[in-house]
Amino acid sequence: MKVAGFYDESISNGLGWRAVLFVSGCPHNCPGCHNKIAQDYNYGEEFDETKFINRIKENSILSGITISGGEPLCKENIACVSKFIDNVKKEKPNFNVWCYTGYTLEELKNRNDQATIDTLNKIDVLVDGRFVEERKNPEIRFRGSDNQRILDLKKCMQENKIIELELEI
């Protein structure tokens, strides 16, 4: 897997102070994508998990990690992303994990593969759905277009239904 970027600290990619990993590669090709260059699976640097884990461990202000892209949950990236989440949680057991994906939760569950289900069970909040340029909305938090959902993924998986995260304003 290649990495398109990494933020040591962000407050715009989920609730609280977060590290953000941007993976390379995305099959969606959404018109108006804000990170078009990251659609290329060969863009960026080789993923050095140890380097990013060390940067996370050294930063005491962080409360979570956000994984974005590109597309972290495509079949080409999901195994590496899942292992990374495991290793972050070993170092920071209380870390909250957010993930941005162009897939809907329904599409991911319909894959019917254990790797996808296992990865979903490691994520706390899933921002799902493709970016739709015609529905772009700069007034909404943590999303680019208003078709995208912010899901309380732990509850979604436990209750087997869609439960959106309630954000305080």
Side-chain angles (χ1 to χ4, degrees), residues 31-47:
C33 174
H34 80 282
N35 205 0
K36 193 96 173 152
I37 197 163
Q39 291 179 3
D40 180 352
Y41 288 90
N42 295 311
Y43 176 76
E45 63 182 85
E46 285 299 323
F47 179 58

Side-chain angles (χ1 to χ4, degrees), residues 14-43:
L15 293 172
W17 285 100
R18 329 187 58 71
V20 185
L21 177 72
F22 296 92
V23 302
S24 295
C26 181
H28 304 303
N29 197 29
C30 300
C33 174
H34 80 282
N35 205 0
K36 193 96 173 152
I37 197 163
Q39 291 179 3
D40 180 352
Y41 288 90
N42 295 311
Y43 176 76

Side-chain angles (χ1 to χ4, degrees), residues 41-59:
Y41 288 90
N42 295 311
Y43 176 76
E45 63 182 85
E46 285 299 323
F47 179 58
D48 180 347
E49 182 178 281
T50 302
K51 176 175 87 171
F52 295 118
I53 296 278
N54 286 338
R55 286 168 70 174
I56 290 167
K57 282 176 19 183
E58 293 169 2
N59 193 334

Side-chain angles (χ1 to χ4, degrees):
M1 182 174 83
K2 291 214 172 181
V3 175
F6 184 83
Y7 293 163
D8 289 290
E9 296 174 359
S10 171
I11 58 169
S12 60
N13 293 281
L15 293 172
W17 285 100
R18 329 187 58 71
V20 185
L21 177 72
F22 296 92
V23 302
S24 295
C26 181
H28 304 303
N29 197 29
C30 300
C33 174
H34 80 282
N35 205 0
K36 193 96 173 152
I37 197 163
Q39 291 179 3
D40 180 352
Y41 288 90
N42 295 311
Y43 176 76
E45 63 182 85
E46 285 299 323
F47 179 58
D48 180 347
E49 182 178 281
T50 302
K51 176 175 87 171
F52 295 118
I53 296 278
N54 286 338
R55 286 168 70 174
I56 290 167
K57 282 176 19 183
E58 293 169 2
N59 193 334
S60 63
I61 195 171
L62 298 176
S63 61
I65 179 85
T66 296
I67 303 170
S68 191
E71 176 54 71
L73 301 183
C74 66
K75 292 186 181 201
E76 294 84 356
N77 291 335
I78 196 165
C80 194
V81 166
S82 185
K83 180 178 173 272
F84 178 62
I85 293 170
D86 286 339
N87 290 329
V88 166
K89 288 283 204 170
K90 283 179 188 169
E91 296 296 332
K92 299 280 191 170
N94 296 322
F95 252 33
N96 177 272
V97 178
W98 279 50
C99 184
Y100 282 78
T101 181
Y103 298 106
T104 63
L105 178 57
E106 294 86 351
E107 289 170 325
L108 291 165
K109 289 173 97 176
N110 284 338
R111 284 184 185 170
N112 290 320
D113 72 275
Q114 198 58 47
T116 300
I117 297 303
D118 290 345
T119 304
L120 291 174
N121 282 317
K122 298 173 187 180
I123 297 167
D124 298 293
V125 176
L126 186 73
V127 182
D128 80 338
R130 293 182 180 159
F131 172 74
V132 177
E133 194 166 22
E134 297 79 27
R135 296 184 69 178
K136 183 177 180 176
N137 185 345
E139 302 297 317
I140 55 177
R141 291 177 73 189
F142 307 126
R143 296 166 287 159
S145 56
D146 60 20
N147 61 295
Q148 296 170 310
R149 304 176 295 189
I150 302 174
L151 303 178
D152 184 332
L153 193 53
K154 293 289 185 202
K155 287 184 182 176
C156 291
M157 298 300 282
Q158 288 169 354
E159 299 181 30
N160 199 29
K161 65 181 183 179
I162 298 300
I163 300 172
E164 294 197 38
L165 185 69
E166 295 183 28
L167 295 173
E168 295 179 15
I169 296 177

